[in-house]
Amino acid sequence: MVFSSLAFLLYFFPIVLLFYFLRKDIKWKNGVLLVTSLFFYAWGEPVWIVAMVASTLVNYYAARRIAKSKKQKERRMWMILGVSVSAAFLFIFKYAAFIINSTFGLVSPSLRIPVLELPIGISFYTFQVITYTVDVYRKKQKAQKHFSRLLLYVCCFPQLIAGPIVQYNDIAAQLSERKTAPDGFSQGMERFIIGLGKKVIFANICGAAMTKMPLAGGGAALSVVGAWYAAFLYTLQIYFDFSGYSDMAIGIGKILGFEYKENFDHPYASLSVREFWRRWHISLGAFFRDYVYIPLGGNRKGLMRTVFNTLVVWSLTGFWHGAAWTFLVWGAYYGIILTIDLLGGKKITLVLPKPVNWLITMVLVIISWVIFYYPTLGQAFQHIGAMFGIGAKWIDSASLQIIKTYSFFPLIAFIGSLPVGNTIKRILGARADGKIVNTLRLAWMTGCLILSIFYLVGQSYNPFIYFQF
């Protein structure tokens, strides 16, 4: 089940809210959320609940043992056990076939094992349960006495499938006590509608345009204009798709009394790649910073160690996204760019005008999304080659027809990805009466919701891109 579906909007979510607000005590609310979250996850494939519950149960027990153990050696052993079991689940389902087949391929291409079906959201809930065990080990949090609360933390449906990655330290207190208020309900609903519009209107229309582009063979049939246009479409699609999901998750959490941290902050307004990654998928960056980069030494052990730590983190970031060479190269691509920045590239950007820095950043980001998009490196590099005129003509008729069909929609979408909304709010807040602002906001939200539902009625099933991770 996805947030941007009529089944969720018209049936599941209203029923959840009805039962959730039926009583005020936290045990009731947690119970409703736990049952409905497990149902939400089981909607697609019930069998994968076993892996999620098993991973949570092992870490629940390991954390309890960590809390009781007085010897550091025992504490470390239980922490390693809990983390290793969860990581093993992730490795078996997501990476084992890729690594084994890549190794066998060096000997004989015919020696292959089948790729297992990936449990939905496993990358997200695995990282979350790891943060719990590590936080207990670090004595940042006490071990959770109630397994049901820990399971709720892991499987709570707003952020279960595609994030944001909620660290246990940020949510622990809210599992036992949280407030739901009319203001939080209205703010959460507004945020949810914004996310729904991002997904259904912007992401899905850009995705529909992408399906019409001649991309089957990578860049083989693309012209220079077509290659850039396709890359630009995907750049918009993945932003509105993923940030739309995050907005909906944060909005639902707000309605239910949870406070989730932001996951996007207008990344396409960045003036450097480093800034881009401070604004894009913030929760993933925070996880790798807190649980990989800093434990490795961060930037505290000299320049060369900082470079090494950066490359390790970005290799893992790429591999986290998927078991494919394209993801590994995508991670290495950003690792190299950020390494160049560390070795002196930042000094160059400081003397360049802001528009130039922004343009360079966008070009580098757009190229990265081409690598991210394709299943093979050959296709990705062929597309990038076409973008720069290697073996490609200037314009092709198929791309030109798609550009004409969708007219200025991608441009409007791109403007929408920039922080223009904040500027409009600031202007209206300073110059307009409060009642007028609230009326305009209500009208805009109502229109966005109606338009989103209108598009949903006519669209086929269109899952979020990050569901595959």
Short mmCIF file of all heavy atoms in Angstrom, two decimals, residues 2 4-5 196-212 233 236-238 240-241 406 409 452 455-456 458-465:
data_model
loop_
_atom_site.label_atom_id
_atom_site.label_comp_id
_atom_site.label_asym_id
_atom_site.label_seq_id
_atom_site.Cartn_x
_atom_site.Cartn_y
_atom_site.Cartn_z
N VAL A 2 0.52 2.22 -0.79
CA VAL A 2 1.29 3.45 -0.85
C VAL A 2 0.41 4.63 -0.43
O VAL A 2 -0.81 4.58 -0.54
CB VAL A 2 1.86 3.70 -2.27
CG1 VAL A 2 2.81 2.60 -2.66
CG2 VAL A 2 0.74 3.82 -3.31
N SER A 4 0.08 7.44 -1.83
CA SER A 4 -0.57 8.07 -2.99
C SER A 4 -1.47 7.08 -3.71
O SER A 4 -1.36 6.86 -4.92
CB SER A 4 0.49 8.62 -3.95
OG SER A 4 1.37 7.59 -4.36
N SER A 5 -2.37 6.46 -2.96
CA SER A 5 -3.33 5.52 -3.55
C SER A 5 -4.70 5.80 -2.95
O SER A 5 -4.82 6.26 -1.81
CB SER A 5 -2.93 4.06 -3.27
OG SER A 5 -3.03 3.76 -1.89
N LEU A 196 1.64 14.86 -1.13
CA LEU A 196 0.79 14.16 -2.09
C LEU A 196 0.83 14.85 -3.45
O LEU A 196 0.96 14.20 -4.50
CB LEU A 196 -0.65 14.09 -1.57
CG LEU A 196 -1.65 13.36 -2.45
CD1 LEU A 196 -1.31 11.88 -2.53
CD2 LEU A 196 -3.08 13.54 -1.90
N GLY A 197 0.75 16.18 -3.43
CA GLY A 197 0.83 16.93 -4.68
C GLY A 197 2.18 16.76 -5.37
O GLY A 197 2.26 16.63 -6.61
N LYS A 198 3.25 16.77 -4.59
CA LYS A 198 4.59 16.56 -5.16
C LYS A 198 4.66 15.24 -5.91
O LYS A 198 5.20 15.16 -7.02
CB LYS A 198 5.65 16.57 -4.05
CG LYS A 198 6.06 17.93 -3.54
CD LYS A 198 7.16 17.77 -2.50
CE LYS A 198 7.72 19.09 -2.03
NZ LYS A 198 8.81 18.91 -1.05
N LYS A 199 4.13 14.19 -5.27
CA LYS A 199 4.21 12.86 -5.86
C LYS A 199 3.28 12.72 -7.06
O LYS A 199 3.71 12.34 -8.16
CB LYS A 199 3.87 11.81 -4.80
CG LYS A 199 3.58 10.42 -5.33
CD LYS A 199 4.75 9.81 -6.07
CE LYS A 199 4.42 8.38 -6.53
NZ LYS A 199 5.48 7.83 -7.40
N VAL A 200 2.00 12.99 -6.86
CA VAL A 200 0.98 12.68 -7.86
C VAL A 200 1.05 13.62 -9.06
O VAL A 200 0.89 13.19 -10.20
CB VAL A 200 -0.42 12.73 -7.21
CG1 VAL A 200 -1.50 12.52 -8.25
CG2 VAL A 200 -0.52 11.66 -6.13
N ILE A 201 1.29 14.90 -8.79
CA ILE A 201 1.29 15.87 -9.89
C ILE A 201 2.67 15.99 -10.53
O ILE A 201 2.84 15.72 -11.72
CB ILE A 201 0.80 17.25 -9.40
CG1 ILE A 201 -0.61 17.13 -8.81
CG2 ILE A 201 0.83 18.26 -10.54
CD1 ILE A 201 -1.11 18.39 -8.12
N PHE A 202 3.67 16.35 -9.74
CA PHE A 202 4.99 16.62 -10.31
C PHE A 202 5.77 15.35 -10.64
O PHE A 202 6.22 15.16 -11.77
CB PHE A 202 5.80 17.52 -9.38
CG PHE A 202 5.32 18.94 -9.34
CD1 PHE A 202 4.80 19.48 -8.18
CD2 PHE A 202 5.39 19.73 -10.47
CE1 PHE A 202 4.35 20.79 -8.15
CE2 PHE A 202 4.94 21.05 -10.45
CZ PHE A 202 4.43 21.59 -9.28
N ALA A 203 5.96 14.47 -9.66
CA ALA A 203 6.79 13.28 -9.88
C ALA A 203 6.18 12.36 -10.93
O ALA A 203 6.89 11.88 -11.84
CB ALA A 203 6.99 12.53 -8.57
N ASN A 204 4.90 12.09 -10.83
CA ASN A 204 4.28 11.14 -11.75
C ASN A 204 4.21 11.66 -13.18
O ASN A 204 4.36 10.90 -14.13
CB ASN A 204 2.88 10.76 -11.26
CG ASN A 204 2.93 9.80 -10.09
OD1 ASN A 204 4.00 9.47 -9.59
ND2 ASN A 204 1.77 9.36 -9.63
N ILE A 205 4.00 12.97 -13.35
CA ILE A 205 3.96 13.52 -14.71
C ILE A 205 5.35 13.51 -15.32
O ILE A 205 5.53 13.17 -16.50
CB ILE A 205 3.35 14.93 -14.71
CG1 ILE A 205 1.86 14.86 -14.36
CG2 ILE A 205 3.53 15.60 -16.07
CD1 ILE A 205 1.16 16.20 -14.29
N CYS A 206 6.37 13.86 -14.52
CA CYS A 206 7.75 13.77 -15.02
C CYS A 206 8.09 12.32 -15.35
O CYS A 206 8.77 12.03 -16.35
CB CYS A 206 8.72 14.32 -13.99
SG CYS A 206 8.69 16.12 -13.82
N GLY A 207 7.62 11.38 -14.50
CA GLY A 207 7.85 9.97 -14.77
C GLY A 207 7.16 9.50 -16.03
O GLY A 207 7.72 8.70 -16.79
N ALA A 208 5.95 10.01 -16.27
CA ALA A 208 5.23 9.65 -17.50
C ALA A 208 5.98 10.14 -18.74
O ALA A 208 6.06 9.44 -19.75
CB ALA A 208 3.82 10.24 -17.46
N ALA A 209 6.54 11.33 -18.65
CA ALA A 209 7.34 11.85 -19.77
C ALA A 209 8.59 11.01 -19.98
O ALA A 209 9.00 10.74 -21.12
CB ALA A 209 7.71 13.31 -19.50
N MET A 210 9.19 10.56 -18.86
CA MET A 210 10.39 9.72 -18.96
C MET A 210 10.11 8.42 -19.70
O MET A 210 10.94 7.94 -20.48
CB MET A 210 10.91 9.40 -17.55
CG MET A 210 11.75 10.49 -16.93
SD MET A 210 13.39 10.63 -17.69
CE MET A 210 14.16 9.11 -17.11
N THR A 211 8.94 7.83 -19.47
CA THR A 211 8.62 6.55 -20.11
C THR A 211 8.48 6.68 -21.62
O THR A 211 8.60 5.68 -22.35
CB THR A 211 7.32 5.96 -19.55
OG1 THR A 211 6.22 6.87 -19.81
CG2 THR A 211 7.42 5.74 -18.05
N LYS A 212 8.25 7.89 -22.10
CA LYS A 212 8.10 8.10 -23.54
C LYS A 212 9.43 8.43 -24.23
O LYS A 212 9.52 8.44 -25.45
CB LYS A 212 7.09 9.21 -23.79
CG LYS A 212 5.67 8.86 -23.35
CD LYS A 212 4.72 10.03 -23.58
CE LYS A 212 3.27 9.63 -23.33
NZ LYS A 212 3.02 9.16 -21.98
N LEU A 233 14.41 15.51 -16.54
CA LEU A 233 13.14 14.94 -16.10
C LEU A 233 13.34 14.02 -14.90
O LEU A 233 12.58 14.08 -13.92
CB LEU A 233 12.48 14.16 -17.24
CG LEU A 233 11.79 14.96 -18.34
CD1 LEU A 233 11.32 14.02 -19.45
CD2 LEU A 233 10.61 15.76 -17.80
N LEU A 236 14.07 15.84 -11.68
CA LEU A 236 12.85 16.35 -11.06
C LEU A 236 12.02 15.23 -10.47
O LEU A 236 11.50 15.35 -9.35
CB LEU A 236 12.02 17.11 -12.10
CG LEU A 236 12.64 18.39 -12.67
CD1 LEU A 236 11.78 18.94 -13.80
CD2 LEU A 236 12.79 19.44 -11.57
N GLN A 237 11.89 14.13 -11.22
CA GLN A 237 11.05 13.03 -10.75
C GLN A 237 11.54 12.47 -9.42
O GLN A 237 10.75 12.29 -8.48
CB GLN A 237 11.02 11.89 -11.78
CG GLN A 237 10.12 10.74 -11.35
CD GLN A 237 10.29 9.49 -12.19
OE1 GLN A 237 11.17 9.43 -13.06
NE2 GLN A 237 9.47 8.49 -11.97
N ILE A 238 12.83 12.20 -9.30
CA ILE A 238 13.32 11.57 -8.07
C ILE A 238 13.24 12.53 -6.88
O ILE A 238 12.98 12.10 -5.75
CB ILE A 238 14.77 11.04 -8.27
CG1 ILE A 238 15.12 10.07 -7.13
CG2 ILE A 238 15.79 12.18 -8.35
CD1 ILE A 238 16.38 9.29 -7.37
N PHE A 240 10.88 15.06 -6.46
CA PHE A 240 9.49 15.20 -6.03
C PHE A 240 8.93 13.89 -5.51
O PHE A 240 8.07 13.89 -4.63
CB PHE A 240 8.64 15.74 -7.19
CG PHE A 240 8.81 17.21 -7.42
CD1 PHE A 240 9.46 17.68 -8.55
CD2 PHE A 240 8.36 18.12 -6.50
CE1 PHE A 240 9.64 19.04 -8.77
CE2 PHE A 240 8.52 19.49 -6.70
CZ PHE A 240 9.17 19.95 -7.84
N ASP A 241 9.40 12.78 -6.05
CA ASP A 241 8.95 11.48 -5.58
C ASP A 241 9.39 11.24 -4.14
O ASP A 241 8.57 10.92 -3.26
CB ASP A 241 9.52 10.39 -6.50
CG ASP A 241 8.94 9.02 -6.22
OD1 ASP A 241 9.37 8.37 -5.25
OD2 ASP A 241 8.06 8.59 -6.99
N TYR A 406 4.86 18.15 -23.43
CA TYR A 406 4.86 18.54 -22.02
C TYR A 406 5.19 20.02 -21.82
O TYR A 406 5.17 20.51 -20.69
CB TYR A 406 5.83 17.65 -21.24
CG TYR A 406 5.29 16.25 -21.08
CD1 TYR A 406 5.54 15.27 -22.03
CD2 TYR A 406 4.48 15.94 -19.99
CE1 TYR A 406 5.01 13.99 -21.90
CE2 TYR A 406 3.96 14.66 -19.85
CZ TYR A 406 4.23 13.70 -20.81
OH TYR A 406 3.70 12.44 -20.68
N PHE A 409 6.00 22.33 -18.48
CA PHE A 409 5.73 21.70 -17.19
C PHE A 409 7.01 21.41 -16.39
O PHE A 409 7.07 21.72 -15.19
CB PHE A 409 4.93 20.41 -17.36
CG PHE A 409 4.67 19.71 -16.06
CD1 PHE A 409 3.64 20.13 -15.22
CD2 PHE A 409 5.48 18.66 -15.64
CE1 PHE A 409 3.42 19.50 -14.00
CE2 PHE A 409 5.26 18.03 -14.43
CZ PHE A 409 4.22 18.45 -13.61
N SER A 452 -4.94 16.36 -6.92
CA SER A 452 -4.19 15.11 -6.70
C SER A 452 -5.10 13.90 -6.83
O SER A 452 -4.75 12.91 -7.48
CB SER A 452 -3.53 15.13 -5.33
OG SER A 452 -2.57 16.16 -5.23
N TYR A 455 -5.98 13.28 -10.44
CA TYR A 455 -4.90 12.59 -11.15
C TYR A 455 -4.82 11.13 -10.74
O TYR A 455 -4.55 10.24 -11.57
CB TYR A 455 -3.56 13.27 -10.89
CG TYR A 455 -3.25 14.41 -11.84
CD1 TYR A 455 -3.26 15.73 -11.40
CD2 TYR A 455 -2.95 14.17 -13.17
CE1 TYR A 455 -2.99 16.78 -12.26
CE2 TYR A 455 -2.67 15.20 -14.04
CZ TYR A 455 -2.69 16.51 -13.59
OH TYR A 455 -2.42 17.55 -14.44
N LEU A 456 -5.05 10.84 -9.45
CA LEU A 456 -4.96 9.46 -8.98
C LEU A 456 -6.00 8.57 -9.64
O LEU A 456 -5.74 7.40 -9.93
CB LEU A 456 -5.15 9.41 -7.46
CG LEU A 456 -3.92 9.70 -6.60
CD1 LEU A 456 -4.29 9.70 -5.13
CD2 LEU A 456 -2.83 8.67 -6.86
N GLY A 458 -7.11 8.70 -12.56
CA GLY A 458 -6.74 8.36 -13.93
C GLY A 458 -5.39 7.68 -14.07
O GLY A 458 -5.00 7.30 -15.17
N GLN A 459 -4.66 7.50 -12.96
CA GLN A 459 -3.33 6.91 -13.04
C GLN A 459 -3.35 5.45 -12.63
O GLN A 459 -4.16 5.03 -11.83
CB GLN A 459 -2.35 7.67 -12.13
CG GLN A 459 -2.00 9.05 -12.62
CD GLN A 459 -1.07 9.78 -11.66
OE1 GLN A 459 -0.72 9.26 -10.61
NE2 GLN A 459 -0.66 10.98 -12.03
N SER A 460 -2.42 4.69 -13.21
CA SER A 460 -2.23 3.30 -12.79
C SER A 460 -1.32 3.29 -11.56
O SER A 460 -0.84 4.34 -11.12
CB SER A 460 -1.61 2.49 -13.92
OG SER A 460 -0.37 3.05 -14.32
N TYR A 461 -1.05 2.10 -11.03
CA TYR A 461 -0.20 1.98 -9.85
C TYR A 461 1.18 2.56 -10.14
O TYR A 461 1.83 2.21 -11.12
CB TYR A 461 -0.07 0.50 -9.46
CG TYR A 461 0.87 0.25 -8.32
CD1 TYR A 461 0.55 0.66 -7.02
CD2 TYR A 461 2.09 -0.40 -8.52
CE1 TYR A 461 1.40 0.42 -5.96
CE2 TYR A 461 2.95 -0.65 -7.46
CZ TYR A 461 2.60 -0.23 -6.19
OH TYR A 461 3.46 -0.46 -5.14
N ASN A 462 1.61 3.47 -9.28
CA ASN A 462 2.89 4.15 -9.50
C ASN A 462 3.62 4.27 -8.16
O ASN A 462 3.47 5.25 -7.46
CB ASN A 462 2.65 5.54 -10.10
CG ASN A 462 3.90 6.10 -10.75
OD1 ASN A 462 5.01 5.87 -10.27
ND2 ASN A 462 3.73 6.84 -11.82
N PRO A 463 4.42 3.25 -7.80
CA PRO A 463 5.06 3.25 -6.49
C PRO A 463 6.16 4.29 -6.39
O PRO A 463 6.65 4.80 -7.40
CB PRO A 463 5.65 1.83 -6.39
CG PRO A 463 5.90 1.43 -7.80
CD PRO A 463 4.77 2.05 -8.60
N PHE A 464 6.57 4.58 -5.17
CA PHE A 464 7.65 5.52 -4.94
C PHE A 464 8.98 4.88 -5.34
O PHE A 464 9.20 3.68 -5.15
CB PHE A 464 7.70 5.93 -3.47
CG PHE A 464 6.55 6.79 -3.04
CD1 PHE A 464 5.36 6.20 -2.62
CD2 PHE A 464 6.64 8.16 -3.06
CE1 PHE A 464 4.28 6.98 -2.23
CE2 PHE A 464 5.57 8.96 -2.65
CZ PHE A 464 4.40 8.36 -2.24
N ILE A 465 9.87 5.69 -5.92
CA ILE A 465 11.15 5.19 -6.41
C ILE A 465 11.94 4.51 -5.31
O ILE A 465 12.54 3.44 -5.51
CB ILE A 465 11.96 6.34 -7.03
CG1 ILE A 465 11.30 6.83 -8.32
CG2 ILE A 465 13.40 5.91 -7.32
CD1 ILE A 465 11.91 8.09 -8.90
#
